[in-house]
Amino acid sequence: VCEMDLEEAQRKCCNEVHTVSRYLRHEGINHAVWFTGGGFHIWVKLDKEYILPPNRMADLLFSGRMLINNWVKRFNLNTLDPVVSFRPDRHIRIPNTYNFKRQIWGIPITHEHLIEGWDYIVSKAQTPNPGMHLFEGRGLEIEIVERDSINLFSPSEIVSVSSYKSFSEIARLE
C-alpha cells in the first residue's frame, strides 16, 4: 500500500511518467505520452507484430507484464498500473477527446510538459491540443516466454530491460 495525498500523487505520477519516457528515449524506443484527464497513457511501439496462436496470447500478456513489472521495480514506480498493461480488453484514450468524468481534455504530452509538471499539464488540458508528440525510435522487442515455464519467485528469472540500476542513473542522462 502506498499512502499519498492527492497533490503528492499527482506530482509523483507526472515524475514517474517522465522517468519512463526518459528511459524509453535514451534506449531509442518509439513512444508517445498522453494526459488522460486523471493520469497518463504511454504508448510504446513494439518491434514487430506478434502473431501468436490463440493459446499463446496469454504468454504475450504475461511477457509484457513481466517487462512492466521490471520497470516498476527498477525505477521504484508507485503510480504505474501494471495490471492494465498489455491487456487486449483495455483501450488507450484517444488524444484530444474530452474526459466527461473529469471535465478536461485528454491531450498529447511533450518532454517539456512533463518537466513543467501536473498543474501546467492540467492548465493546457483546458482546451484541445492538436497533433501527437511522437518520440522517434525503434520498436521495443519483447521476449515471449511461456508463463508456466518460469519460477516467478526466482531473482534469476527477472527480465533485464537495461543496464541501468536505478532512477538516479536515468536522471543523470538529462
Side-chain angles (χ1 to χ4, degrees), residues 4 9 22 32 37 39 41 45 52 74 90-91 93-94 98 105 117 120 123 128-129 133 139 148 156-157 165 171:
M4 288 185 258
R22 279 191 310 206
H41 285 173
K45 181 181 178 180
L52 300 171
R74 177 161 294 191
R90 298 295 295 227
H91 304 284
R93 183 174 291 276
I94 299 170
Y98 194 69
W105 287 90
Y120 176 80
S123 70
N129 287 256
H133 305 290
D148 296 330
S156 66
E157 296 292 352
K165 306 285 187 287

Side-chain angles (χ1 to χ4, degrees), residues 45-103:
K45 181 181 178 180
L46 299 180
D47 64 329
K48 64 182 181 181
E49 183 178 356
Y50 288 83
I51 301 173
L52 300 171
N55 64 337
R56 295 276 329 269
M57 287 305 292
D59 294 337
L60 176 61
L61 171 65
F62 178 77
S63 300
R65 283 190 179 168
M66 282 185 58
L67 179 73
I68 299 299
N69 283 335
N70 189 285
W71 293 350
V72 167
K73 289 175 188 172
R74 177 161 294 191
F75 303 125
N76 193 30
L77 306 174
N78 294 309
T79 62
L80 190 142
D81 185 358
V83 174
V84 300
S85 301
F86 287 87
R87 289 271 307 269
D89 60 334
R90 298 295 295 227
H91 304 284
I92 191 166
R93 183 174 291 276
I94 299 170
N96 291 312
T97 58
Y98 194 69
N99 183 330
F100 284 96
K101 178 180 176 183
R102 303 205 188 266
Q103 301 291 296

Side-chain angles (χ1 to χ4, degrees), residues 19-32 42-47 71 75 134-141 161-164 170 173-174:
T19 296
V20 172
S21 181
R22 279 191 310 206
Y23 165 75
L24 293 169
R25 282 185 311 137
H26 180 266
E27 294 295 311
I29 303 296
N30 190 324
H31 71 286
I42 303 173
W43 169 82
V44 178
K45 181 181 178 180
L46 299 180
D47 64 329
W71 293 350
F75 303 125
L134 187 63
F135 297 95
E136 294 290 337
R138 61 183 167 75
L140 178 68
E141 182 180 346
V161 294
S162 170
S163 60
Y164 294 108
I170 295 291
L173 299 174
E174 296 297 308

Side-chain angles (χ1 to χ4, degrees), residues 10 16 18 63 71 88 92 99 107 109 121 123 127 143 155 161:
Q10 291 168 339
E16 289 183 2
H18 189 221
S63 300
W71 293 350
I92 191 166
N99 183 330
I107 60 170
I109 297 297
I121 292 168
S123 70
T127 58
E143 178 185 351
V161 294

